[in-house]
Amino acid sequence: MDMLLQVGYLITAILFILGVMRLRSPATAKSGNLVAASGMAVAFIVTLIRYHSFSWLWIGLALVLGAVAGGYAARKVRMTAMPQMVALFNGMGGGAAALVSIGELHSEWIHGVSSAAASITALLTVLIGSISFTGSLLAFSKLQEWVRGRPITFPGQKIVNAVLLVIVLIFGVDMIVSGGIHALPLLALYILLSALTGLLLVLPIGGADMPVVISLLNALTGLAAAATGFLLSNNVLIIAGALVGASGTILTQQMSRAMNRPIHNIVFGAFGQIAPGAAGVEAGGGGVVQSATVDDVATMLAYSRSVVIVPGYGLAVARAQQEVRQLTEKLSERGVTVRFGIHPVAGRMPGHMNVLLAEAEVPYDQLYEMDAINPQFPQTDVVLVIGANDVTNPAARNQPSSPLYGMPILNVDQAKRVVVLKRGMSPGFAGIDNPLYTNPKTSMLFGDAKASLDHVIRALDEV
Amino acid sequence: MAHNLLTEVYIFVLAVFVGFQLISKVPSVLHTPLMSATNAIHGIILVGAIALAATVHGALDVGISVAAVFLATLNVVGGYVVTDRILGMFKKKSAERPTE
């Protein structure tokens, strides 16, 4: 029996790794997901064969309800709501890991067989899993706008967090040293405080920082799964947890680099707290903003050879993805090469903008990541910036005084002409002036992105 | 557990290296499906939940294991279905689109 289990888990681990390997290209990714899913099915089946002495009624009910709820939510969710969906599923995984460890520890206490090593891993999983659970739920509520998305801060927040963490650790050590069924109330308190820590960690984090937070929570759930693997001596949990932990860590690093903010800055310093007045003093510099008409823009686009579209989250807010795709097709018919330059943080989670454009049937071979598109800008006739701001700000490259300095940006100012679609002259999310707008190459097309694009598409017919 | 601990640490460390190698080759175009796919993968905690359910007695522990199975199943099924949906939308230009 155990042999079957081990061989089954080995196959699962191989299928997981092969599945992730296939995620390296959009052409093979869909099959990669299926490969990983079949790995999961193998693990599920051998586990059921090995362990079946449970209440089929209750476990069956949990399986069916979980599958129905998960499948339904996954089918219904809109692509713009994908970040909160992923956060929610992530929280479920973290919660499950915490519960498994709680159950295991409690059952060992009842039988009086708990070892220090087992207690350490169990309590660590409970801590990480609970943080991931409540943190993800709060991130979900913020993205879903059930809770104010702006950073929520109060004086002494860091001290409260630190004190809380110290208390949790003291409780943990106490249970490791003298754990047992008598410590049950302490365990309950430990769980509660761990859950509270998750809430307090995500509370001060603002909406634009969500890509980092979701990646980080993803890594935490992976670690929680791996730690459960140590607790249960289950290798497939260790391997899967390590894979997820690595993935979450890489994404967290990439996102925080793309935002030019070290990770501790995001977790421990609420966004929007950049010293006021530091920005924009030079940038404002008395430049003149030129606004363009729809006809100007249409003519400019129609007579260019290559166009790069730079979409930001503003595009998704205006729900203008379909219009962008129509524009792309119109221009392609005229023989204009159209590509998309996508900044890593153009969305609410890593890669989000690519999904939103793919949903609008923009072919993925037109989607270019930052490093691939940046060398192309000098040969580009027109760049169309739609609903993006800070990620195009040249101050990040050449103004050491700017808070954005050092952030990797899309070098749109190196193109021959730039058109910025923008609602008004308000500064970007970080409240920093953008010298791009006063660049003589730049024309501004003010108004709602969806309406503006619609007008440009119609004007193109008459050029 | 202490007996196998070192072997398990080996497995963990090697898997972390494999993970870093594999994931750093995923293009940013696919980062959302990558995240939802790995999200589904950590739903593997489901097997831990089932194992727990089979070994515990008493209403409290059974309740905990049932809740864990529910959450983990939601994670697994939701994660795979949503990843499949996302990846289904990624199409190459050459693929003929139905005319509207």
Side-chain angles (χ1 to χ4, degrees), chain A residues 9-270:
Chain A
Y9 284 173
L10 179 61
I11 294 172
T12 300
I14 293 170
L15 289 175
F16 278 173
I17 291 172
L18 289 177
V20 174
M21 272 170 84
R22 297 186 76 80
L23 282 178
R24 285 183 297 193
S25 151
T28 56
K30 202 167 150 82
S31 66
N33 186 46
L34 286 177
V35 169
S38 51
M40 186 68 75
V42 171
F44 179 66
I45 290 166
V46 295
T47 307
L48 279 189
I49 294 173
R50 169 68 181 77
Y51 300 101
H52 44 73
S53 60
F54 45 72
S55 153
W56 280 93
L57 174 66
W58 286 106
I59 296 298
L61 205 63
L63 285 169
V64 171
L65 284 180
V68 170
Y72 180 80
R75 276 188 200 291
K76 288 290 160 201
V77 63
R78 283 175 296 112
M79 287 300 143
T80 42
M82 197 48 65
Q84 51 265 50
M85 191 84 268
V86 168
L88 190 66
F89 289 149
N90 187 52
M92 298 299 116
L99 284 174
V100 170
S101 297
I102 294 167
E104 180 69 18
L105 187 65
H106 183 235
S107 135
E108 285 185 7
W109 279 356
I110 290 179
H111 298 104
V113 292
S114 64
S115 68
S119 304
I120 292 172
T121 32
L123 290 168
L124 195 66
T125 316
V126 173
L127 177 65
I128 305 175
S130 306
I131 289 178
S132 161
F133 180 65
T134 53
S136 299
L137 288 187
L138 183 58
F140 167 83
S141 313
K142 282 195 171 201
L143 286 160
Q144 189 76 12
E145 291 174 357
W146 289 355
V147 176
R148 211 158 60 113
R150 281 194 292 139
I152 298 171
T153 52
F154 54 85
Q157 199 159 20
K158 284 176 206 170
I159 299 168
V160 170
N161 287 357
V163 168
L164 195 66
L165 209 57
V166 169
I167 296 176
V168 169
L169 288 180
I170 292 173
F171 282 8
V173 170
D174 188 63
M175 281 185 283
I176 291 162
V177 174
S178 64
I181 198 67
H182 61 273
L184 202 55
L186 196 60
L187 179 63
L189 207 58
Y190 177 86
I191 298 166
L192 217 65
L193 291 180
S194 302
L196 188 63
T197 311
L199 288 181
L200 286 175
L201 279 178
V202 177
L203 208 56
I205 296 172
D209 283 339
M210 280 302 165
V212 184
V213 177
I214 294 178
S215 312
L216 187 65
L217 290 168
N218 191 34
L220 283 181
T221 309
L223 282 183
T228 316
F230 282 106
L231 178 66
L232 303 176
S233 297
N234 184 327
N235 292 339
V236 76
L237 278 182
I238 296 177
I239 294 172
L243 282 179
V244 181
S247 153
T249 308
I250 288 179
L251 291 177
T252 309
Q253 282 173 346
Q254 290 190 355
M255 289 300 113
S256 59
R257 205 181 314 133
M259 271 187 213
N260 199 29
R261 293 182 347 101
I263 179 70
H264 61 83
N265 184 335
I266 293 167
V267 178
F268 297 113

Side-chain angles (χ1 to χ4, degrees), chain A residues 9 17 20-21 23-26 29-30 33 36-37 40 43-44 47 51 53-54 58-59 62-63 65-67 70-71 74-75 77 79 82 86 89-90 92-93 96-97 99-100 103-104 106-107 110 118 121 214-215 218 221 226 228 230 232-235 237-240 242-244 246-247 250-251 254 325 329 349-352 354-355 358-359 361 363-366 369, chain B residues 1-2 4-5 7-9 11-13 15-16 18-57 60-62 64-94 97-98 100:
Chain A
Y9 284 173
I17 291 172
V20 174
M21 272 170 84
L23 282 178
R24 285 183 297 193
S25 151
K30 202 167 150 82
N33 186 46
M40 186 68 75
F44 179 66
T47 307
Y51 300 101
S53 60
F54 45 72
W58 286 106
I59 296 298
L63 285 169
L65 284 180
R75 276 188 200 291
V77 63
M79 287 300 143
M82 197 48 65
V86 168
F89 289 149
N90 187 52
M92 298 299 116
L99 284 174
V100 170
E104 180 69 18
H106 183 235
S107 135
I110 290 179
T121 32
I214 294 178
S215 312
N218 191 34
T221 309
T228 316
F230 282 106
L232 303 176
S233 297
N234 184 327
N235 292 339
L237 278 182
I238 296 177
I239 294 172
L243 282 179
V244 181
S247 153
I250 288 179
L251 291 177
Q254 290 190 355
R325 196 251 310 162
E329 285 175 353
M349 71 182 290
H352 193 193
N354 300 283
V355 175
E359 186 190 23
E361 299 187 0
Y364 66 76
D365 36 8
Q366 290 183 355
E369 52 189 88
Chain B
M1 128 169 224
N4 291 325
L5 189 61
T7 318
E8 286 168 359
V9 173
I11 292 172
F12 178 73
V13 171
V16 167
V18 171
F20 269 93
Q21 286 301 316
L22 285 181
I23 308 288
S24 55
K25 294 200 180 72
V26 175
S28 64
V29 173
L30 288 177
H31 276 172
T32 294
L34 167 70
M35 185 169 258
S36 65
T38 54
N39 212 341
I41 286 177
H42 66 53
I44 186 74
I45 193 72
L46 176 62
V47 305
I50 292 173
L52 178 72
T55 48
V56 294
H57 308 281
L60 178 63
D61 285 342
V62 170
I64 288 175
S65 66
V66 168
V69 169
F70 172 72
L71 292 185
T73 313
L74 213 152
N75 183 182
V76 169
V77 176
Y80 280 119
V81 173
V82 104
T83 310
D84 194 58
R85 244 187 88 195
I86 295 174
L87 290 171
M89 295 184 317
F90 280 90
K91 293 197 179 69
K92 230 181 155 154
K93 195 175 196 169
S94 50
R97 245 182 258 119
E100 290 145 71

Side-chain angles (χ1 to χ4, degrees), chain A residues 211-361:
Chain A
V212 184
V213 177
I214 294 178
S215 312
L216 187 65
L217 290 168
N218 191 34
L220 283 181
T221 309
L223 282 183
T228 316
F230 282 106
L231 178 66
L232 303 176
S233 297
N234 184 327
N235 292 339
V236 76
L237 278 182
I238 296 177
I239 294 172
L243 282 179
V244 181
S247 153
T249 308
I250 288 179
L251 291 177
T252 309
Q253 282 173 346
Q254 290 190 355
M255 289 300 113
S256 59
R257 205 181 314 133
M259 271 187 213
N260 199 29
R261 293 182 347 101
I263 179 70
H264 61 83
N265 184 335
I266 293 167
V267 178
F268 297 113
F271 201 61
Q273 305 215 328
I274 287 168
V281 184
E282 299 159 63
V288 182
V289 173
Q290 313 165 64
S291 67
T293 65
V294 168
D295 292 327
D296 295 343
V297 174
T299 313
M300 212 189 291
L301 291 172
Y303 291 107
S304 58
R305 271 178 300 126
S306 84
V307 171
V308 173
I309 299 177
V310 172
Y313 198 64
L315 173 80
V317 173
R319 296 166 188 259
Q321 297 95 304
Q322 290 299 338
E323 283 73 10
V324 168
R325 196 251 310 162
Q326 287 166 18
L327 178 69
T328 312
E329 285 175 353
K330 273 260 150 56
L331 291 173
S332 299
E333 282 165 19
R334 290 177 163 266
V336 182
T337 312
V338 186
R339 286 172 291 189
F340 287 81
I342 297 173
H343 194 272
V345 295
R348 286 289 180 265
M349 71 182 290
H352 193 193
M353 184 52 66
N354 300 283
V355 175
L356 296 176
L357 290 172
E359 186 190 23
E361 299 187 0

